[in-house]
Amino acid sequence: MNKKIHTEAVDQLFEAVLSLRNKEECYTFFEDVCTINELLSLSQRFEVAKMLREKKTYLEISEKTGASTATISRVNRSLSYGNDGYEMVFARMEGKTEEEGEE
């Protein structure tokens, strides 16, 4: 974990995020905390990561998301050499989808 970001202020932000109960609360909070461009950039990176996991090419990803090759490369580096945060979230999301399908 990157020690530079591990601060009391970041801890408090994460506690705030963890207190959110649903997507509507996420929209309400993140629209206040982030600019529209910041939020769109975060969602774009998440979409890029999803497409990289699906083995899409940089060209396909760029065409669909509008992401630059630099952004795609940065996300790819995180997937390959990061802290496995994307993988953790994708696994949980896939598990949730499977659980919902069982009901």
Side-chain angles (χ1 to χ4, degrees):
M1 190 176 313
N2 188 335
K3 298 291 183 193
K4 292 179 184 178
I5 67 164
H6 198 83
T7 66
E8 188 175 331
V10 173
D11 282 349
Q12 289 176 359
L13 174 64
F14 291 163
E15 286 296 324
V17 170
L18 289 169
S19 77
L20 300 171
R21 295 190 175 122
N22 54 46
K23 265 190 243 182
E24 201 53 48
E25 287 187 2
C26 287
Y27 274 102
T28 300
F29 179 72
F30 281 98
E31 283 180 32
D32 283 351
V33 172
C34 299
T35 66
I36 291 170
N37 285 339
E38 288 169 335
L39 195 50
L40 292 175
S41 291
L42 289 171
S43 64
Q44 181 188 62
R45 288 182 200 149
F46 194 74
E47 182 69 13
V48 166
K50 188 173 143 197
M51 292 181 76
L52 284 167
R53 283 181 81 232
E54 295 167 352
K55 306 295 186 207
K56 303 290 186 195
T57 66
Y58 277 34
L59 181 60
E60 290 172 309
I61 295 167
S62 181
E63 286 176 350
K64 179 163 190 234
T65 66
S68 68
T69 55
T71 295
I72 298 168
S73 181
R74 201 172 305 121
V75 172
N76 195 34
R77 198 167 34 255
S78 291
L79 286 170
S80 299
Y81 305 108
N83 296 314
D84 294 327
Y86 281 115
E87 289 302 325
M88 174 182 62
V89 170
F90 287 134
R92 289 184 183 165
M93 290 176 74
E94 289 164 1
K96 182 177 179 185
T97 301
E98 290 170 11
E99 289 170 14
E100 289 172 352
E102 293 173 3
E103 291 179 20

